[in-house]
Amino acid sequence: MLTLHKDWKAGKEFSILILRLVAGFVVLYGHGFGKLSTIFTGQEIKFFDPIGIGANLSFYLAAFAEGICAILLMLGLFTRYAAIVLAINFLVIFRVHFKDGYEALELISLYLFTYIAIVFAGGGKYSLDNLLFNKTR
């Protein structure tokens, strides 16, 4: 137990990888796939207009965040930008469900603050960002 401090850096990098993979997958699987398939199959879009830009545009933005940005997050490509888009998406969702009380906001808050944490942490060592853009390797 006293030697754990030697492995903290590796543990931190692995933790960021796990966080990115899980945070990207759960939103992609639970929300993004459905929205993207609606777009690609040409189904009628039935969505609400939470910020006054129109239901269709709201749907496309949500599909981009929960589909494309979730994939980017899992790959660790443009990680901070993808996490910012996802955080904004969940801020809108938080605003929409604010009146619904704690139970509705609990999971939304976990998503929101996970994406905010990823904005600060970045993609980490095990990411395409690090592979492609890290000049100190």
Side-chain angles (χ1 to χ4, degrees), residues 85-99:
V85 171
L86 283 159
I88 292 168
N89 183 61
F90 276 89
L91 272 172
V92 172
I93 295 168
F94 187 92
R95 181 182 157 263
V96 168
H97 291 284
F98 187 75
K99 63 187 175 304

Side-chain angles (χ1 to χ4, degrees), residues 93-114:
I93 295 168
F94 187 92
R95 181 182 157 263
V96 168
H97 291 284
F98 187 75
K99 63 187 175 304
D100 297 337
Y102 176 76
E103 287 184 13
L105 297 178
E106 182 178 16
L107 185 57
I108 296 166
S109 298
L110 283 171
Y111 279 115
L112 172 62
F113 287 102
T114 297

Side-chain angles (χ1 to χ4, degrees), residues 28-86:
L28 177 65
Y29 184 78
H31 306 278
F33 279 142
K35 287 180 178 71
L36 291 175
S37 73
T38 297
I39 292 170
F40 291 125
T41 59
Q43 297 174 29
E44 181 183 357
I45 295 172
K46 296 178 182 176
F47 204 65
F48 54 98
D49 184 14
I51 56 175
I53 60 172
N56 282 355
L57 184 55
S58 294
F59 183 82
Y60 286 119
L61 289 174
F64 175 74
E66 297 168 5
I68 304 304
C69 289
I71 292 168
L72 291 172
L73 194 72
M74 289 188 298
L75 294 173
L77 183 61
F78 307 117
T79 305
R80 285 191 164 112
Y81 298 113
I84 287 170
V85 171
L86 283 159

